[in-house]
PDB file of all heavy atoms in Angstrom:
ATOM      1  N   GLY B 185      52.139  53.756 212.189  1.00  0.00           N
ATOM      2  CA  GLY B 185      50.784  53.226 211.974  1.00  0.00           C
ATOM      3  C   GLY B 185      50.693  52.349 210.749  1.00  0.00           C
ATOM      4  O   GLY B 185      49.752  51.582 210.638  1.00  0.00           O
ATOM      5  N   LYS B 186      51.644  52.413 209.824  1.00  0.00           N
ATOM      6  CA  LYS B 186      51.650  51.567 208.615  1.00  0.00           C
ATOM      7  C   LYS B 186      52.314  50.227 208.767  1.00  0.00           C
ATOM      8  O   LYS B 186      53.367  50.106 209.449  1.00  0.00           O
ATOM      9  CB  LYS B 186      52.225  52.368 207.491  1.00  0.00           C
ATOM     10  CG  LYS B 186      52.032  51.807 206.090  1.00  0.00           C
ATOM     11  CD  LYS B 186      52.646  52.726 205.042  1.00  0.00           C
ATOM     12  CE  LYS B 186      52.244  52.219 203.628  1.00  0.00           C
ATOM     13  NZ  LYS B 186      52.549  50.826 203.409  1.00  0.00           N
ATOM     14  N   VAL B 187      51.670  49.189 208.246  1.00  0.00           N
ATOM     15  CA  VAL B 187      52.187  47.830 208.313  1.00  0.00           C
ATOM     16  C   VAL B 187      53.021  47.530 207.070  1.00  0.00           C
ATOM     17  O   VAL B 187      52.543  47.671 205.985  1.00  0.00           O
ATOM     18  CB  VAL B 187      51.136  46.794 208.492  1.00  0.00           C
ATOM     19  CG1 VAL B 187      51.671  45.420 208.450  1.00  0.00           C
ATOM     20  CG2 VAL B 187      50.283  47.069 209.730  1.00  0.00           C
ATOM     21  N   ASN B 188      54.319  47.105 207.211  1.00  0.00           N
ATOM     22  CA  ASN B 188      55.143  46.703 206.134  1.00  0.00           C
ATOM     23  C   ASN B 188      55.563  45.247 206.385  1.00  0.00           C
ATOM     24  O   ASN B 188      56.072  44.952 207.460  1.00  0.00           O
ATOM     25  CB  ASN B 188      56.411  47.590 206.002  1.00  0.00           C
ATOM     26  CG  ASN B 188      55.960  49.011 205.689  1.00  0.00           C
ATOM     27  OD1 ASN B 188      55.374  49.339 204.682  1.00  0.00           O
ATOM     28  ND2 ASN B 188      56.326  49.986 206.622  1.00  0.00           N
ATOM     29  N   ILE B 189      55.427  44.417 205.384  1.00  0.00           N
ATOM     30  CA  ILE B 189      55.860  43.049 205.530  1.00  0.00           C
ATOM     31  C   ILE B 189      57.344  42.868 205.165  1.00  0.00           C
ATOM     32  O   ILE B 189      57.796  43.486 204.137  1.00  0.00           O
ATOM     33  CB  ILE B 189      55.073  42.100 204.539  1.00  0.00           C
ATOM     34  CG1 ILE B 189      53.585  42.260 204.757  1.00  0.00           C
ATOM     35  CG2 ILE B 189      55.467  40.624 204.773  1.00  0.00           C
ATOM     36  CD1 ILE B 189      53.016  41.744 206.054  1.00  0.00           C
ATOM     37  N   ASP B 190      58.141  42.298 205.945  1.00  0.00           N
ATOM     38  CA  ASP B 190      59.551  41.974 205.647  1.00  0.00           C
ATOM     39  C   ASP B 190      59.510  40.870 204.565  1.00  0.00           C
ATOM     40  O   ASP B 190      59.474  39.652 204.986  1.00  0.00           O
ATOM     41  CB  ASP B 190      60.265  41.642 206.962  1.00  0.00           C
ATOM     42  CG  ASP B 190      61.782  41.419 206.639  1.00  0.00           C
ATOM     43  OD1 ASP B 190      62.134  41.339 205.464  1.00  0.00           O
ATOM     44  OD2 ASP B 190      62.591  41.412 207.616  1.00  0.00           O
ATOM     45  N   VAL B 191      59.587  41.240 203.294  1.00  0.00           N
ATOM     46  CA  VAL B 191      59.389  40.253 202.268  1.00  0.00           C
ATOM     47  C   VAL B 191      60.413  39.191 202.233  1.00  0.00           C
ATOM     48  O   VAL B 191      60.154  37.990 201.986  1.00  0.00           O
ATOM     49  CB  VAL B 191      59.346  40.990 200.910  1.00  0.00           C
ATOM     50  CG1 VAL B 191      59.051  39.938 199.818  1.00  0.00           C
ATOM     51  CG2 VAL B 191      58.251  42.026 200.905  1.00  0.00           C
ATOM     52  N   ASN B 192      61.654  39.542 202.675  1.00  0.00           N
ATOM     53  CA  ASN B 192      62.774  38.601 202.622  1.00  0.00           C
ATOM     54  C   ASN B 192      62.639  37.475 203.706  1.00  0.00           C
ATOM     55  O   ASN B 192      63.256  36.392 203.574  1.00  0.00           O
ATOM     56  CB  ASN B 192      64.142  39.290 202.835  1.00  0.00           C
ATOM     57  CG  ASN B 192      64.415  40.243 201.710  1.00  0.00           C
ATOM     58  OD1 ASN B 192      64.062  39.966 200.557  1.00  0.00           O
ATOM     59  ND2 ASN B 192      64.993  41.347 201.990  1.00  0.00           N
ATOM     60  N   ARG B 193      61.848  37.760 204.669  1.00  0.00           N
ATOM     61  CA  ARG B 193      61.703  36.765 205.791  1.00  0.00           C
ATOM     62  C   ARG B 193      60.222  36.299 205.935  1.00  0.00           C
ATOM     63  O   ARG B 193      59.846  35.730 206.926  1.00  0.00           O
ATOM     64  CB  ARG B 193      62.162  37.372 207.134  1.00  0.00           C
ATOM     65  CG  ARG B 193      63.687  37.637 207.113  1.00  0.00           C
ATOM     66  CD  ARG B 193      64.229  37.877 208.528  1.00  0.00           C
ATOM     67  NE  ARG B 193      63.615  39.089 209.132  1.00  0.00           N
ATOM     68  CZ  ARG B 193      63.687  39.278 210.460  1.00  0.00           C
ATOM     69  NH1 ARG B 193      64.211  38.414 211.213  1.00  0.00           N
ATOM     70  NH2 ARG B 193      63.201  40.439 210.942  1.00  0.00           N
ATOM     71  N   SER B 194      59.422  36.542 204.892  1.00  0.00           N
ATOM     72  CA  SER B 194      58.023  36.151 204.982  1.00  0.00           C
ATOM     73  C   SER B 194      57.538  35.345 203.727  1.00  0.00           C
ATOM     74  O   SER B 194      58.184  35.522 202.687  1.00  0.00           O
ATOM     75  CB  SER B 194      57.157  37.434 205.161  1.00  0.00           C
ATOM     76  OG  SER B 194      57.625  38.194 206.190  1.00  0.00           O
ATOM     77  N   ARG B 195      56.519  34.628 203.849  1.00  0.00           N
ATOM     78  CA  ARG B 195      56.030  33.878 202.707  1.00  0.00           C
ATOM     79  C   ARG B 195      54.608  33.387 202.893  1.00  0.00           C
ATOM     80  O   ARG B 195      54.174  33.141 204.086  1.00  0.00           O
ATOM     81  CB  ARG B 195      56.906  32.682 202.385  1.00  0.00           C
ATOM     82  CG  ARG B 195      56.930  31.690 203.593  1.00  0.00           C
ATOM     83  CD  ARG B 195      57.737  30.437 203.253  1.00  0.00           C
ATOM     84  NE  ARG B 195      57.719  29.553 204.391  1.00  0.00           N
ATOM     85  CZ  ARG B 195      57.763  28.214 204.341  1.00  0.00           C
ATOM     86  NH1 ARG B 195      57.919  27.603 203.101  1.00  0.00           N
ATOM     87  NH2 ARG B 195      57.721  27.500 205.395  1.00  0.00           N
ATOM     88  N   TRP B 196      53.885  33.250 201.836  1.00  0.00           N
ATOM     89  CA  TRP B 196      52.639  32.509 201.803  1.00  0.00           C
ATOM     90  C   TRP B 196      53.048  30.991 201.563  1.00  0.00           C
ATOM     91  O   TRP B 196      54.028  30.785 200.832  1.00  0.00           O
ATOM     92  CB  TRP B 196      51.730  33.012 200.681  1.00  0.00           C
ATOM     93  CG  TRP B 196      50.868  34.133 201.013  1.00  0.00           C
ATOM     94  CD1 TRP B 196      51.166  35.431 200.711  1.00  0.00           C
ATOM     95  CD2 TRP B 196      49.604  34.158 201.757  1.00  0.00           C
ATOM     96  NE1 TRP B 196      50.181  36.253 201.219  1.00  0.00           N
ATOM     97  CE2 TRP B 196      49.246  35.510 201.803  1.00  0.00           C
ATOM     98  CE3 TRP B 196      48.811  33.200 202.290  1.00  0.00           C
ATOM     99  CZ2 TRP B 196      48.095  35.860 202.497  1.00  0.00           C
ATOM    100  CZ3 TRP B 196      47.760  33.548 202.963  1.00  0.00           C
ATOM    101  CH2 TRP B 196      47.325  34.916 203.065  1.00  0.00           C
TER     102      TRP B 196
END
Side-chain angles (χ1 to χ4, degrees):
Chain B
K186 189 174 186 311
V187 175
N188 297 300
I189 307 289
D190 184 345
V191 182
N192 296 324
R193 295 196 292 164
S194 306
R195 61 175 181 151
W196 277 98

